[in-house]
Amino acid sequence: MFVKQLSVFIENRAGRLDEVLDVLKNENINIISLSLADTSDYGMLRLIVSDPQKGQTALKEKGISAKLTDILVVKLPHQVGQLQKILAVICRESINIEYMYSLSTGTDDASIAMKCGNMEQAEALLEADKDVKLMSDADIANL
C-alpha cells in the first residue's frame, strides 16, 4: 500500500520554505515528516502530511509547484539490523532505492519513507515479510 507524498519544487532562497510551511499551516495540514534536498538554485521538499490532496491544491493556488508521489512508508521493529534486513530484500531483487528518509509515527517502532525504482515489486516483497508493516494514507492521517 502506497502513501501519497507531497513533493514541492522550491527556489533555494531565504523565506521560500517558510512560505510553503505557512500555506500548509493555514490549511490546518499537519506535517508528519519532511526531507529537504537542495542544489545551488533549487530544492526538493518532500513531505508526508495529514492531507496530501488538500496540501497540493493549496500550494498550487499560491503558485507553488507541488505534485503527489507514491512512496512506501515502512514501520519495523526498533532493533539492530532491521533496516538492513528490509533493504537487503529489496536490493537482492535489484530494485533501486531512489531516496529514503525517516519519520516519526509516535510509537516505539522505527519508520522510514522510501521511493523505489519498482514500487509494486518492492511493496510485494515487503508485504511478504511478517515483521514489516506498511502504512497507508489512512494510517498517516490518524497520526
Side-chain angles (χ1 to χ4, degrees), residues 43 55 61 94-95 128 137:
E61 287 173 358
S94 299
I95 300 172
D137 280 323

Side-chain angles (χ1 to χ4, degrees), residues 84-96:
Q84 189 278 328
K85 177 185 169 188
I86 68 162
L87 296 183
V89 169
I90 292 170
C91 292
R92 226 180 350 262
E93 296 297 322
S94 299
I95 300 172
N96 184 43

Side-chain angles (χ1 to χ4, degrees), residues 19-34:
E19 292 172 22
V20 171
L21 299 182
D22 192 55
V23 169
L24 297 176
K25 177 190 75 175
N26 291 335
E27 292 295 324
N28 200 34
I29 297 171
N30 188 33
I31 299 170
I32 310 302
S33 185
L34 67 83

Side-chain angles (χ1 to χ4, degrees), residues 41-82:
D41 296 322
Y42 294 96
M44 179 57 71
L45 176 62
R46 296 180 173 108
L47 303 120
I48 298 174
V49 297
S50 58
D51 191 336
Q53 302 281 349
K54 183 178 176 184
Q56 180 190 32
T57 300
L59 289 167
K60 285 189 170 191
E61 287 173 358
K62 298 292 185 183
I64 299 170
S65 177
K67 69 177 189 167
L68 296 177
T69 306
D70 285 335
I71 61 167
L72 293 167
V73 174
V74 184
K75 288 180 75 170
L76 56 152
H78 204 351
Q79 300 168 346
V80 173
Q82 291 300 307

